[in-house]
């Protein structure tokens, strides 16, 4: 995205002459087209916006009878770089904290899964014992019914002789 001086001036709400003065005064890096007019890219526009902000702050200070804070492009670049490096540091800390949180959650989930697996194993063992006991009881009941049937048959058979 490359814009001409008049478009940038409208965007910032200042005159085109002001934009030209700021480019010369603060050594804003921008290119010129074949006709010798400035052509601004996104980086140059952001620097101009920062300069406009700083000028607005300086005008507010002057109106409140405070001495104006004169800043140069180098000072603006220094402050910008400090903020950028601090922002990167904070983003790095945020990423690291997010990674730590995810790691803790994974460990907690793993522990819960291991506890559930242990509980499931105990339940399986208990079910196996209960099934074994049920089979034994069924076998005993079947055996008792077989024995009772024989006794009834023998008792019935004996009653015929008496």
């Amino acid at each position: 995205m490359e814009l001409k001086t008049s478009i940038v001036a409208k965007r910032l709400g200042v005159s085109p002459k002001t934009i030209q003065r700021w480019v010369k005064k603060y050594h804003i890096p921008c290119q010129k087209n074949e006709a010798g007019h400035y052509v601004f890219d996104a980086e140059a526009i952001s620097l101009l916006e920062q300069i406009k902000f700083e000028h607005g702050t300086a005008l507010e200070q002057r109106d409140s009878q405070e001495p104006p804070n004169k800043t140069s492009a180098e000072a603006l670049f220094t402050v910008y770089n400090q903020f950028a490096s601090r922002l990167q540091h904070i983003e790095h800390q945020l990423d690291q904290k997010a990674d730590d949180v995810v790691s803790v959650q994974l460990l907690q989930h793993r522990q819960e899964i291991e506890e559930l697996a242990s509980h499931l194993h105990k339940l399986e063992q208990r079910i196996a014992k209960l099934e074994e006991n049920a089979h034994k009881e069924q076998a005993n009941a079947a055996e008792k019914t077989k024995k009772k049937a024989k006794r009834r048959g023998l008792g019935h058979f004996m009653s015929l002789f008496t």
Side-chain angles (χ1 to χ4, degrees):
M1 172 178 89
E2 294 183 345
L3 302 175
K4 294 183 180 178
T5 305
S6 60
I7 296 172
V8 174
K10 285 179 185 177
R11 185 173 175 179
L12 296 176
V14 295
S15 71
K17 282 288 186 188
T18 302
I19 297 294
Q20 292 171 357
R21 276 197 321 267
W22 286 350
V23 168
K24 291 176 185 176
K25 182 178 179 181
Y26 297 112
H27 306 289
I28 304 295
C30 59
Q31 298 176 354
K32 291 186 177 183
N33 62 10
E34 304 84 34
H37 299 286
Y38 290 118
V39 179
F40 299 93
D41 60 358
E43 182 181 348
I45 293 171
S46 67
L47 291 174
L48 288 169
E49 288 172 343
Q50 182 68 30
I51 291 170
K52 182 181 184 240
F53 175 76
E54 292 293 328
H55 274 273
T57 305
L59 289 175
E60 288 175 6
Q61 288 176 351
R62 188 179 308 146
D63 291 342
S64 64
Q65 300 301 328
E66 292 182 17
N69 183 11
K70 294 183 180 180
T71 58
S72 67
E74 290 178 10
L76 289 175
F77 289 131
T78 303
V79 170
Y80 175 77
N81 287 335
Q82 288 173 347
F83 282 131
S85 65
R86 186 167 181 191
L87 180 64
Q88 286 176 346
H89 179 70
I90 290 171
E91 286 176 344
H92 176 70
Q93 286 179 330
L94 182 64
D95 289 341
Q96 189 174 9
K97 183 61 87 174
D99 290 343
D100 292 344
V101 168
V102 169
S103 297
V104 167
Q105 287 177 341
L106 284 174
L107 290 174
Q108 287 175 344
H109 290 312
R110 180 177 290 164
Q111 183 179 7
E112 290 173 2
I113 289 171
E114 288 173 357
E115 289 173 359
L116 288 172
S118 172
H119 189 65
L120 181 63
H121 181 68
K122 288 177 184 177
L123 288 174
E124 287 173 346
Q125 288 176 343
R126 187 168 178 182
I127 289 172
K129 285 181 182 180
L130 289 173
E131 286 176 346
E132 185 180 319
N133 290 341
H135 288 302
K136 285 181 183 179
E137 287 178 12
Q138 286 177 350
N140 288 340
E143 193 176 302
K144 285 181 182 179
T145 56
K146 287 180 185 178
K147 287 181 183 178
K148 287 182 181 178
K150 287 182 182 179
R151 285 184 190 168
R152 284 188 207 154
L154 182 61
H156 184 64
F157 181 70
M158 294 297 249
S159 64
L160 291 175
F161 294 112
T162 48

